[in-house]
């Protein structure tokens, strides 16, 4: 019998220590930036209670939840059978309701069997990555990204490949994406409507991307998948039409979360959808099912799943959100900020009046206004304002945005 390696001495490095996997996750730029930011925000939260700090950081609710949402959960919590709170995977009524609703947004002939219920968008993306990619495979995504892509990819053993978007439009940089597609590429993540830029990618862009991926897949002799991260696909402004990458490229894993439309991200529910008619879909579904179990029972709680048919009838007030967008974009432009009006999501993404976005964000923070620096999205020179804050908070913050840019101007050398 082979000798086992000697046990480390109790006080040697690594003894009783943490895993290499967790160290790799903590070493990622987004992790260090985000959790550093969160730690500071905890301090700010304490201050806010005292000073009324105006918080435009995360997509969290700032007003009481709509009563119909609460009622749906209350109803769903009342047991109808002994099995009500038994172990649940994906519940068919939830799958069917979600598929019918998805069909109205992305008309591809979905049925409930094409969907798996997940613990929000996080759960869907994590399972999607692991269902098609193996450790060492590359995952391409655009900067600025949702800051968790890198963390989820590294946890899955994948190698992130980052491609900056075109500035200042924040469209997909198709030439750069094409150059980034190598023999190890397995996944391209597309997020539309985009957090943080608010951009909705048009059909021409998605068609061109699909062509690139067909060519690169043929070159590699191995399929490249799109993970379409679209939790904001119902939050669009000015009657814009959203198009999913799944409508242009059938090898797309569509990830959705209810956390945005219902503005209740703490109640974890979403889904991973596999386009109908995909060859070998049965094997893919088996892969997803097994990974949801092996990942630590990555299914939403029974109560959330029972509530889905009712929750599908509800939405935050997109008109009110659009009014907040119009107010802040108009006011910022009038003050001299460079800002594109977002086509969807609940974020506004202005250019920082000075190249050092962190310094500018710190200057706003000193005035009691919290926003996120572009550095957090690996895109310095910009910053993100979240519109889930109340209209009153926006009004209260406008004089501070004005004072901050006036300060920059008064410090600029005359020229
Ligand atoms: N994808 C994007 C682009 C997001 O903005 C978020 C949340 O902010 C998620 C995925 C994850 O959503 P959830 O927390 O509802 O799972």
């Amino acid at each position: 019998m082979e000798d086992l390696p000697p046990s480390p001495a109790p006080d040697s490095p690594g003894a009783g220590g943490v895993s290499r996997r967790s160290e790799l996750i903590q070493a990622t730029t987004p992790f260090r930036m985000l959790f550093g930011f969160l730690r500071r925000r905890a301090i700010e939260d304490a201050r806010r209670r005292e000073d009324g700090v105006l918080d435009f950081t995360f997509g969290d609710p700032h007003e009481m939840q709509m009563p119909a949402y609460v009622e749906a959960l209350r109803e769903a919590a009342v047991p109808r059978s002994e099995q009500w709170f038994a172990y649940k995977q994906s519940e068919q009524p939830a799958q069917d309701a979600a598929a019918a609703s998805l069909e109205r947004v992305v008309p591809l002939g979905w049925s409930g069997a094409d969907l798996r219920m997940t613990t929000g968008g996080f759960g869907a993306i994590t399972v999607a990555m692991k269902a098609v990619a193996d450790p060492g495979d590359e995952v391409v995504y655009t900067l600025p990204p949702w800051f968790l892509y890198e963390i989820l990819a590294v946890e899955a053993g994948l190698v992130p490949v980052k491609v900056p978007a075109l500035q200042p439009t924040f469209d997909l940089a198709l030439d750069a994406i094409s150059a980034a597609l190598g023999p190890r590429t397995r996944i391209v993540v597309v997020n539309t409507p985009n957090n943080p830029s608010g951009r909705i990618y048009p059909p021409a862009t998605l068609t061109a991307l699909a062509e690139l991926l067909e060519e690169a897949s043929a070159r590699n002799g191995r399929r490249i998948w799109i993970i379409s991260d679209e939790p904001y696909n119902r939050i669009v402004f000015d009657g814009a039409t959203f198009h999913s990458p799944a409508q242009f490229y059938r090898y797309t894993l569509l990830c959705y979360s209810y956390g945005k439309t219902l503005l209740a991200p703490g109640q974890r529910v979403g889904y991973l959808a596999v386009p109908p008619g995909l060859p070998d879909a049965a094997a893919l579904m088996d892969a997803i099912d097994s990974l949801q179990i092996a990942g630590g029972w990555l299914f939403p709680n029974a109560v959330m799943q029972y509530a889905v048919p009712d929750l599908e009838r509800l939405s935050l007030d997109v008109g009110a959100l659009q009014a907040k967008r119009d107010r802040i974009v108009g006011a910022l432009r009038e003050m001299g900020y460079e800002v594109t009006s977002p086509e969807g999501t609940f974020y506004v993404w202005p250019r920082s009046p000075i190249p050092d976005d962190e310094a500018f964000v710190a200057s706003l923070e000193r005035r009691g206004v919290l926003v996120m620096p572009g550095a957090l999205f690996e895109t310095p020179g910009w910053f993100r304002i979240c519109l889930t804050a109340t209209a009153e908070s926006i009004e209260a913050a406008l004089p501070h945005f004005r004072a901050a840019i006036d300060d920059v101007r008064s410090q600029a050398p005359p020229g």
Side-chain angles (χ1 to χ4, degrees):
M1 200 175 106
E2 231 177 289
D3 282 346
L4 289 174
S7 304
D11 56 352
S12 70
V18 297
S19 68
R20 181 84 188 113
R21 176 192 300 256
S22 70
E23 286 175 345
L24 286 172
I25 292 166
Q26 290 173 60
T28 60
T29 308
F31 192 94
R32 282 187 286 108
M33 297 284 298
L34 185 63
F35 288 90
F37 185 83
L38 282 173
R39 251 172 240 134
R40 275 198 307 117
R41 196 174 86 127
I43 299 166
E44 286 306 329
D45 276 350
R47 231 183 85 196
R48 174 176 44 182
R49 280 190 287 277
E50 287 154 26
D51 309 350
V53 162
L54 301 162
D55 184 359
F56 299 91
T57 54
F58 288 95
D60 274 324
H62 289 242
E63 288 164 274
M64 290 300 277
Q65 183 54 266
M66 48 193 144
Y69 181 94
V70 180
E71 196 42 47
L73 264 54
R74 209 195 292 273
E75 263 297 296
V78 179
R80 321 273 201 277
S81 71
E82 299 85 346
Q83 293 294 305
W84 200 249
F85 300 117
Y87 280 107
K88 302 290 171 188
Q89 298 191 26
S90 291
E91 285 291 281
Q92 199 183 335
Q95 290 169 286
D96 289 346
S101 164
L102 179 60
E103 184 63 20
R104 290 191 284 278
V105 183
V106 182
L108 286 176
W110 305 93
S111 73
D114 301 319
L115 274 62
R116 292 294 182 268
M117 305 310 293
T118 61
T119 46
F122 267 92
I125 297 166
T126 228
V127 170
M129 283 183 174
K130 292 181 183 181
V132 295
D134 283 306
D137 284 341
E138 290 176 359
V139 46
V140 174
Y141 56 84
T142 292
L143 301 184
W146 177 51
F147 24 64
L148 270 291
Y149 294 145
E150 179 165 350
I151 294 169
L152 300 185
V154 167
E155 197 280 331
L158 311 184
V159 180
V161 176
K162 307 168 190 180
V163 179
L166 299 173
Q167 293 192 13
T169 59
F170 290 93
D171 280 317
L172 291 182
L174 290 169
D175 289 344
I177 291 176
S178 174
L181 299 175
R184 297 302 311 253
T185 307
R186 186 59 159 165
I187 295 171
V188 175
V189 180
V190 180
N191 168 220
T192 177
N194 186 266
N195 169 12
S197 72
R199 197 84 180 87
I200 299 178
Y201 303 131
T205 303
L206 298 175
T207 304
L209 177 67
E211 283 165 11
L212 287 182
L213 298 184
E214 281 299 347
E215 281 163 24
S217 298
R219 209 163 52 231
N220 288 354
R222 188 170 177 245
R223 177 55 60 184
I224 298 176
W225 292 81
I226 289 183
I227 289 183
S228 180
D229 179 23
E230 43 187 89
Y232 302 96
N233 64 15
R234 289 152 169 85
I235 307 179
V236 300
F237 303 135
D238 306 315
T241 305
F242 161 80
H243 293 94
S244 170
Q247 292 164 278
F248 301 86
Y249 188 73
R250 67 202 308 218
Y251 295 91
T252 294
L253 301 172
L254 189 156
C255 299
Y256 182 72
S257 168
Y258 289 85
K260 308 300 171 190
T261 315
L262 301 173
L263 204 45
Q267 291 297 123
R268 310 295 304 159
V269 63
Y271 53 79
L272 173 55
V274 172
L278 195 73
D280 242 356
L284 183 57
M285 283 310 192
D286 286 348
I288 292 168
D289 291 340
S290 60
L291 286 163
Q292 284 190 271
I293 295 169
W297 210 260
L298 293 178
F299 303 96
N301 286 334
V303 170
M304 285 316 292
Q305 296 205 52
Y306 300 140
V308 162
D310 283 339
L311 298 182
E312 273 292 359
R313 288 189 269 276
L314 306 177
S315 168
L316 51 65
D317 185 343
V318 177
L321 205 56
Q322 183 171 323
K324 288 195 273 186
R325 175 205 65 167
D326 290 344
R327 175 69 180 128
I328 198 158
V329 168
L332 291 177
R333 281 183 179 158
E334 187 265 318
M335 293 171 200
Y337 286 89
E338 178 187 337
V339 52
T340 305
S341 192
E343 299 165 287
T345 73
F346 34 60
Y347 308 105
V348 178
W349 178 244
R351 195 193 283 275
S352 165
I354 49 173
D356 185 345
D357 51 290
E358 290 184 273
F360 184 71
V361 165
S363 80
L364 283 170
E365 199 168 313
R366 284 193 294 278
R367 298 172 191 282
V369 175
L370 302 183
V371 298
M372 280 183 166
L376 212 56
F377 303 83
E378 296 171 82
T379 307
W382 301 80
F383 67 99
R384 190 186 83 171
I385 300 170
C386 182
L387 294 178
T388 59
T390 61
E392 292 72 30
S393 299
I394 291 174
E395 290 307 322
L398 290 180
H400 299 297
F401 282 111
R402 184 183 294 282
I405 195 169
D406 284 350
D407 253 17
V408 170
R409 289 207 188 96
S410 68
Q411 285 159 22

